[in-house]
Amino acid sequence: MHILITEDEAILAMHLPMFLEELGADSCSVAATQAEAVREALDHKPHLIASDVNLAEGSGPGAVKAIRSHPGDIPVVYITGTPEQARIADLGAPVIAKPIRWLDLVEATQDHGLPTPLPADKE
């Protein structure tokens, strides 16, 4: 499973791929702008998009809309400091408010094929 992360906050953009790969993603790509996200998706079609709403250039919902017009309907999980904007922009999409509670991300990604992580004592 390939996940496209659209995030312009450098520290979060650095940690999300590691966390999602720990959950079972095969690969992740990171885009900091709307245009970069669209290019990344066209180069390597994602199975899931994890997107912020407000980006330094463009918006996450704008990127998702553009991406969905090319390779098709790709599920999205919004990770944002403006959850109400995400809910308005993409009705029904899971929304995780920043600061992230990692368990919320685990639950949101399980619906899209990433496994439930085992507790350390069960591995």
Side-chain angles (χ1 to χ4, degrees), residues 3-7 13-14 17 28-32 36 40:
I3 300 176
L4 171 61
I5 300 165
T6 306
E7 176 61 61
M14 188 172 49
C28 295
S29 56
V30 179
E36 189 179 340
E40 285 287 332

Side-chain angles (χ1 to χ4, degrees), residues 7 20 24 27-28 31 39 49 57-58 70 75 88 90 100 102 106 109-110 115 118-120 122:
E7 176 61 61
L20 291 167
S27 62
C28 295
R39 278 193 306 272
I49 302 168
E57 293 178 31
H70 292 285
I88 291 168
D90 200 339
I100 296 173
W102 294 109
V106 169
T109 56
Q110 285 174 338
L118 293 172
K122 301 287 183 192

Side-chain angles (χ1 to χ4, degrees), residues 53-77:
V53 170
N54 296 311
L55 303 171
E57 293 178 31
S59 73
V64 169
K65 183 177 179 181
I67 292 165
R68 285 177 170 167
S69 73
H70 292 285
D73 193 26
I74 298 168
V76 63
V77 174

Side-chain angles (χ1 to χ4, degrees), residues 1 5 24 39 43 46 58 65 75 93 116 121:
M1 168 181 278
I5 300 165
R39 278 193 306 272
D43 287 345
K65 183 177 179 181
T116 303
D121 63 335

